[in-house]
């Protein structure tokens, strides 16, 4: 399982996203993903891989469950980071944690 963390670049905290906007912000544009039910604060499916998000103090942990090449995981995380930056109105960064 691959895991990443998306956080604010300056304070290394959870970027503020209103709960009503999670679908707009956490479903990556143009990658054929959709929201699904499951554990975590939000969850999507991209092909056969499920991606879980949890809102925590250090940021948004993003956990990939299922087969997906590392380059595709990173592309998805980059897209999500850009969407989160726009929604939160502040610079964000991502890092791989597992």
């Amino acid at each position: 399982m691959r895991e990443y963390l998306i956080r604010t670049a300056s304070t290394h905290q959870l970027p503020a996203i209103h709960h009503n906007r999670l679908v707009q912000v956490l479903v990556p544009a143009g990658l054929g993903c959709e929201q699904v039910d499951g554990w975590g604060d939000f969850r999507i499916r991209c092909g056969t891989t499920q991606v879980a998000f949890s809102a925590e103090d250090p940021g948004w942990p993003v956990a990939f469950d299922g087969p997906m090449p590392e380059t595709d995981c990173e592309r998805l995380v980059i897209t999500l980071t850009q969407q989160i930056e726009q929604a939160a109105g502040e610079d964000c960064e991502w890092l791989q944690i597992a």
Side-chain angles (χ1 to χ4, degrees):
M1 180 184 297
R2 285 196 173 83
E3 293 184 49
Y4 297 82
L5 180 67
I6 300 173
R7 62 187 185 183
T8 58
S10 62
T11 61
H12 298 163
Q13 294 182 346
L14 177 68
I17 302 170
H18 193 277
H19 181 72
N20 292 341
R21 297 193 63 216
L22 292 181
V23 173
Q24 289 176 286
V25 177
L26 297 180
V27 176
L31 298 180
C33 301
E34 62 184 356
Q35 181 184 7
V36 294
D37 292 330
W39 62 269
D41 292 312
F42 192 79
R43 193 171 189 84
I44 60 175
R45 179 178 48 238
C46 302
T48 58
T49 301
Q50 292 202 17
V51 184
F53 301 83
S54 299
E56 298 180 10
D57 287 337
W60 283 98
V62 181
F64 288 77
D65 185 17
M68 183 179 281
E70 185 172 355
T71 55
D72 291 347
C73 291
E74 286 186 8
R75 185 178 72 181
L76 191 142
V77 170
I78 289 167
T79 299
L80 289 168
T81 301
Q82 292 168 345
Q83 291 179 188
I84 291 170
E85 279 181 331
Q86 272 192 318
E90 62 183 310
D91 291 338
C92 294
E93 63 185 9
W94 64 272
L95 54 128
Q96 186 170 354
I97 55 177

